[in-house]
Amino acid sequence: MPDASLHSLCRWTFHEGVGRFVPSGVRPEWGPDQFNTVDFVHLVQDEIAPRLPDHIELGVEMHYDNEYHEDNAAAIAAALAETDVSLAMISPGAHLHYAYGGIASLDPDERAEAEAFCERCLEVAYGPLRHGWHEDPGKAPSLVIWNGSFGYDLATPELGRMYQNLKESLAKLCQFESGLGGDLYVTLEPKPNEGHPAMLLPTVASAIVMWYRIADEFDVSLGRKGINKEIGHSEMVGLDQVHDTIEELDNDMMHHTHLNSQGYNDGISMGGPGRFDIDQPARINGMNIAIASLMRKAGFDRWKGHDIQARPYDDTDQALDRAVRSVLSWEACDHAARQLDTDRLHGHLANRDTAKAEDLMRAAVLDAQEWFDEHFEPIAQ
């Protein structure tokens, strides 16, 4: 039996359809009038957990204000306590409220409001939601700081002030979290674009640098500070998600990771660099097998997230299948990584037999697909 593997599912995945680019109301059973966050917790336990191998532990991810808040946090915590599901990730939903920079804003009123908003996010997590945390402190939730407001449309020298504002506000938030207990893993989620064409934290490297600057300038401890890389964000601008993983692990800053794909790297789905964020599930491919191997060798044993979107034409059964497929696809890659003969691989590469190394990785992809086929059963139609 493999070691316990932690996977988390995002509340936002389970909705009726948001309109705009895609139809709204295609999954009416998940409409806001009849499906809430407590229902989501039970759905994860009742509809998804039974379809996964026993070594998988499930968690949930949710945004403050629109998915968890002061009024429903106690009920959510009770639902988590009743199930085998844990709170794996929280994030401020500030991008729904602050479009001019949020905590990086040059508007002092917006910045102050956004800072207070983030503090309330933490107060609820440490308050009524605390009962939903995993009992193992090493599996405590991550606070993921992603906000579509941390960006800009115009190239002006005032971007330097926005960047400094962001550092100062993040340092203040870390100090506030430390005062509440310092038990969360505080992570930055890099993103190159959306909701602005240029974001202040576009890459894994830029987020790592931000943490070191915050620690140096504001005497903030780097303990439990790190990165939540989303594979699809690296893909959006053609970056190397394997090297991004190496940087995170080398700096001991991988505390949560999102396995979402832009889709294109399986050679089948359309998407890829230059596209907007389409939140495809995890894919079976050589890059993910390499990443899984790196994570395994580094001893990463925290939450692997699936902030995925059902496709616009999916009903609820198909949407549930997408979530199960994503978890099992990663587990298939991890299985293939365990089976990979890395000594042989190293020997081929040391001898410059790169074609033979490629053959080994192709065989690993086939191994992963065979494992997936053995474990995935779609909902009967």
Side-chain angles (χ1 to χ4, degrees), residues 152-229:
Y152 53 93
D153 304 320
L154 299 175
T156 77
E158 285 303 292
L159 296 178
R161 169 47 58 182
M162 285 188 71
Y163 187 75
Q164 186 64 25
N165 283 355
L166 183 57
K167 284 190 292 183
E168 292 174 0
S169 291
L170 287 172
K172 181 180 177 182
L173 186 64
C174 289
Q175 291 158 354
F176 183 81
E177 190 273 336
S178 179
L180 293 174
D183 298 322
L184 290 170
Y185 288 78
V186 184
T187 68
L188 301 175
E189 179 171 325
K191 188 162 188 171
N193 55 31
E194 196 191 35
H196 295 276
M199 302 295 285
L200 292 177
L201 296 175
T203 65
V204 166
S206 65
I208 291 173
V209 168
M210 171 68 82
W211 277 129
Y212 283 117
R213 294 303 302 147
I214 289 172
D216 182 60
E217 290 184 35
F218 302 99
D219 195 28
V220 169
S221 170
L222 288 178
R224 298 200 174 200
K225 307 299 189 301
I227 309 299
N228 176 55
K229 172 182 84 275

Side-chain angles (χ1 to χ4, degrees), residues 80-378:
L80 291 167
E82 292 169 9
T83 64
D84 292 326
V85 179
S86 301
L87 182 66
M89 192 205 89
I90 58 169
S91 181
H95 58 287
L96 298 176
H97 303 280
Y98 309 106
Y100 197 60
I103 59 174
S105 181
L106 297 174
D107 176 350
D109 292 334
E110 174 170 316
R111 186 180 174 207
E113 290 177 13
E115 287 180 341
F117 184 93
C118 292
E119 290 177 1
R120 293 197 299 275
C121 162
L122 286 172
E123 287 173 335
V124 177
Y126 271 98
L129 205 53
R130 182 66 185 257
H131 298 295
W133 296 24
H134 198 287
E135 62 183 5
D136 181 348
K139 299 176 182 178
S142 292
L143 169 70
V144 173
I145 304 297
W146 172 81
N147 193 313
S149 298
F150 302 163
Y152 53 93
D153 304 320
L154 299 175
T156 77
E158 285 303 292
L159 296 178
R161 169 47 58 182
M162 285 188 71
Y163 187 75
Q164 186 64 25
N165 283 355
L166 183 57
K167 284 190 292 183
E168 292 174 0
S169 291
L170 287 172
K172 181 180 177 182
L173 186 64
C174 289
Q175 291 158 354
F176 183 81
E177 190 273 336
S178 179
L180 293 174
D183 298 322
L184 290 170
Y185 288 78
V186 184
T187 68
L188 301 175
E189 179 171 325
K191 188 162 188 171
N193 55 31
E194 196 191 35
H196 295 276
M199 302 295 285
L200 292 177
L201 296 175
T203 65
V204 166
S206 65
I208 291 173
V209 168
M210 171 68 82
W211 277 129
Y212 283 117
R213 294 303 302 147
I214 289 172
D216 182 60
E217 290 184 35
F218 302 99
D219 195 28
V220 169
S221 170
L222 288 178
R224 298 200 174 200
K225 307 299 189 301
I227 309 299
N228 176 55
K229 172 182 84 275
E230 184 172 305
I231 289 173
H233 294 349
S234 296
E235 294 172 348
M236 285 167 75
V237 284
L239 295 177
D240 182 342
Q241 57 266 37
V242 179
H243 184 65
D244 281 348
T245 301
I246 293 168
E247 288 184 328
E248 289 176 276
L249 295 172
D250 189 51
N251 287 275
D252 193 25
M253 285 193 177
M254 179 184 282
H255 297 323
H256 194 99
T257 191
H258 273 137
L259 306 177
N260 310 22
S261 169
Q262 284 292 86
Y264 84 106
N265 64 18
D266 64 357
I268 298 172
S269 303
M270 304 296 286
R275 312 287 182 169
F276 64 90
D277 195 359
I278 55 178
D279 288 332
Q280 292 270 19
R283 298 293 176 177
I284 293 175
N285 57 47
M287 288 180 283
N288 283 346
I289 293 171
I291 292 172
S293 180
L294 289 165
M295 291 165 63
R296 175 167 289 278
K297 289 179 180 178
F300 179 78
D301 59 357
R302 281 185 47 75
W303 300 100
K304 301 175 289 292
H306 303 263
D307 181 13
I308 64 177
Q309 288 300 300
R311 306 330 299 157
Y313 31 78
D314 286 344
D315 60 20
T316 53
D317 285 349
Q318 291 168 316
L320 288 168
D321 276 353
R322 300 272 183 194
V324 173
R325 283 177 176 274
S326 192
V327 174
L328 291 179
S329 290
W330 187 264
E331 287 298 304
C333 291
D334 186 64
H335 163 81
R338 292 197 307 272
Q339 303 303 312
L340 184 64
D341 187 341
T342 53
D343 289 338
R344 185 180 175 197
L345 178 65
H346 177 79
H348 288 326
L349 292 171
N351 291 325
R352 301 193 179 193
D353 292 330
T354 55
K356 293 179 181 178
E358 180 181 345
D359 290 341
L360 277 182
M361 294 306 297
R362 288 181 185 274
V365 173
L366 290 175
D367 184 21
Q369 186 62 50
E370 289 175 357
W371 188 96
F372 177 90
D373 290 342
E374 291 174 4
H375 289 81
F376 175 71
E377 292 185 9

Side-chain angles (χ1 to χ4, degrees), residues 40-60:
F40 159 64
V41 173
H42 286 290
L43 178 141
V44 169
Q45 175 65 16
D46 297 340
E47 301 293 339
I48 295 178
R51 301 175 62 188
L52 300 174
D54 291 339
H55 72 281
I56 293 176
E57 295 184 36
L58 288 179
V60 292

Side-chain angles (χ1 to χ4, degrees), residues 17-40:
V18 296
R20 300 196 298 272
F21 298 112
V22 300
S24 60
V26 293
R27 294 175 291 276
E29 304 97 310
W30 291 348
D33 58 335
Q34 54 185 313
F35 185 80
N36 59 35
T37 302
V38 171
D39 298 324
F40 159 64

